[in-house]
Amino acid sequence: MKAINVHAFGGPETCIIDDVEIPEPAAGEARVKVAFAGVNFIDVYMRNGTYARSHTYKTPLPMVIGMEASGTVDAIGEGVTDLRVGQRVAFCLLRGSYAEFVAVPAWKLVPVPDDVPLEIAAALMLQGCTAHYLSHSAFPLQKGQSCLVHAGAGGVGQLLIQLAKNLGATVFTTVSTQEKVEIARNRGADHCILYRDVDFREELMKLTSGKGVDVVYDSVGKTTIMSSIRCVRRRGLCVLFGASSGVVDAIEPLSLAEAGSVFFTRPHLADYMATADEIRGRAGDLFRLMKEKLLSVAIDTVFPLADAASAHRYIEGGKTRGKLLLKIEP
Ligand SMILES: NC(=O)c1ccc[n+]([C@@H]2O[C@H](COP(=O)([O-])OP(=O)(O)OC[C@H]3O[C@@H](n4cnc5c(N)ncnc54)[C@H](OP(=O)(O)O)[C@@H]3O)[C@@H](O)[C@H]2O)c1
């Protein structure tokens, strides 16, 4: 089968299309014929070696990359009783989705409702479940609370704004351009800060009368984190969940004290998707919100599988305004 196989850590050019063996489903697994694979920043971190020392997300070379997909069940391993061949499913957090077929542990598979297109299902698994655990578990937002979402026009950002608004929070967001202001505003953001024109912390403090927000969700990392910590209200929470601008190597504990005894966490999605119930619960919530028209998903661009390198250049270039997908031709 065709797959994007990375042989050495490096730039987008390492996304090479190869012929590899079609996987056989082991006991407890089902094989999925992939329709759409999601492109996410985690694929960039795996490709360029950022996660070379991660135990949670292992990156043995050579490796087929991609951590999210939707498609149909094509074969079933021993002992799997709750799935059938032909069933539409989606999954995330299993490496190998930039491929025609993937063998997936059955507990990681989510049945996709008939009224949810497969491209939307792929878009909702990794970015949607991230937005869900951030707003419902890492810091469960309540009516009347406030949050700052960086990169509000991005894939996770657009979903997180919508979930935060559904929970009754006031949402502040940072974006780079006026076009992205419109996108974030359409998703429900109350205040959009053009961080290239103004100091985002000064602006946020002005907007909150010097108080700060209950929680900051920071996916940008290196260029924002020190200011993000100082955007949090006294004893609030700063969630660093990404590194779009580069990895944050260290935070001095005293800087958290000086910011107002702020709490700090750096979560992995895998720790919030640890059981079948948790995975199906979060995905089920997202599918329901879509049905109730309380959540919209923007597909930015669909690339052919062979063009995964271009998709990586696109996401690393900060161009995304929604979901990037790879389409696997039948
Ligand atoms: N820890 C977890 O559980 C978890 C799970 C999923 C995703 N994530 C993280 O969430 C983040 C967002 O993922 P996504 O797929 O939705 O991507 P995305 O938000 O669509 O794209 C990243 C955005 O970050 C902004 N950005 C700021 N500085 C940047 C820079 N130097 N280079 C590139 N972009 C920059 C850009 O928006 P502006 O133009 O508005 O600045 C860009 O559009 C990633 O960092 C990812 O690793 C974490």
Side-chain angles (χ1 to χ4, degrees):
M1 68 169 182
K2 298 282 180 225
I4 300 295
N5 206 9
V6 169
H7 290 258
F9 296 130
E13 71 286 353
T14 59
C15 291
I16 292 166
I17 194 144
D18 254 355
D19 274 313
V20 301
E21 290 270 304
I22 295 182
E24 285 304 320
E29 292 183 344
R31 185 170 64 203
V32 177
K33 185 174 183 341
V34 178
F36 294 95
V39 176
N40 294 289
F41 249 98
I42 193 169
D43 310 334
V44 172
Y45 307 146
M46 289 185 149
R47 188 211 72 215
N48 69 17
T50 301
Y51 277 165
R53 284 179 295 139
S54 171
H55 291 290
T56 308
Y57 301 124
K58 295 198 169 59
T59 54
L61 294 169
M63 61 177 172
V64 177
I65 57 169
M67 293 285 274
E68 169 185 54
S70 61
T72 47
V73 173
D74 155 84
I76 287 180
E78 211 182 297
V80 177
T81 52
D82 61 344
L83 293 167
R84 57 179 168 75
V85 169
Q87 192 169 357
R88 299 159 81 244
V89 289
F91 67 90
C92 68
L93 296 184
L94 181 81
R95 190 174 43 67
S97 68
Y98 289 14
E100 290 179 276
F101 297 92
V102 195
V104 185
W107 69 272
K108 288 199 170 195
L109 285 169
V110 174
V112 176
D114 290 343
D115 52 356
V116 177
L118 283 179
E119 47 270 64
I120 301 290
L124 275 182
M125 286 308 296
L126 201 146
Q127 292 181 335
C129 290
T130 297
H132 192 280
Y133 89 75
L134 290 170
S135 55
H136 288 68
S137 305
F139 187 98
L141 280 167
Q142 289 172 20
K143 196 171 161 47
Q145 289 187 317
S146 58
C147 62
L148 170 61
V149 175
H150 285 298
V156 174
Q158 289 189 45
L159 295 164
L160 183 51
I161 290 172
Q162 295 176 76
L163 294 185
K165 288 310 298 174
N166 288 342
L167 291 165
T170 300
V171 179
F172 300 82
T173 190
T174 64
V175 288
S176 61
T177 63
Q178 190 57 42
E179 185 211 349
K180 289 189 174 185
V181 166
E182 299 310 321
I183 294 171
R185 203 169 268 150
N186 283 334
R187 293 304 181 204
D190 297 283
H191 304 277
C192 300
I193 302 173
L194 275 164
Y195 69 85
R196 285 187 183 156
D197 297 352
V198 294
D199 178 296
F200 76 81
R201 178 178 178 272
E202 272 176 25
E203 192 63 19
L204 181 106
M205 284 305 181
K206 247 188 256 163
L207 290 166
T208 59
S209 310
K211 191 168 154 260
V213 287
D214 293 286
V215 57
V216 176
Y217 300 111
D218 187 337
S219 61
V220 173
K222 198 167 186 166
T223 58
T224 48
I225 194 64
M226 292 319 296
S227 294
S228 288
I229 287 168
R230 291 168 51 248
C231 286
V232 178
R233 68 148 163 87
R234 182 169 286 147
R235 301 198 315 245
L237 177 69
C238 182
V239 186
L240 169 65
F241 71 101
S244 302
S245 70
V247 174
V248 175
D249 292 324
I251 300 286
E252 274 186 51
L254 197 56
S255 63
L256 300 174
E258 288 293 324
S261 302
V262 161
F263 291 83
F264 180 83
T265 182
R266 193 341 183 161
H268 273 323
L269 174 60
D271 292 315
Y272 289 84
M273 298 275 271
T275 63
D277 282 351
E278 207 165 29
I279 294 169
R280 292 185 183 195
R282 292 195 197 284
D285 263 3
L286 295 166
F287 292 147
R288 177 182 52 77
L289 288 168
M290 273 203 60
K291 199 168 189 161
E292 292 170 2
K293 305 220 177 310
L294 290 169
L295 187 67
S296 314
V297 180
I299 306 287
D300 179 320
T301 307
V302 182
F303 294 85
L305 177 66
D307 212 6
S310 300
H312 278 215
R313 285 189 192 99
Y314 195 93
I315 196 167
E316 286 183 85
K319 297 197 183 98
T320 36
R321 294 158 189 80
K323 187 71 197 174
L324 300 185
L325 294 170
L326 301 178
K327 186 172 196 288
I328 288 62
E329 293 302 337

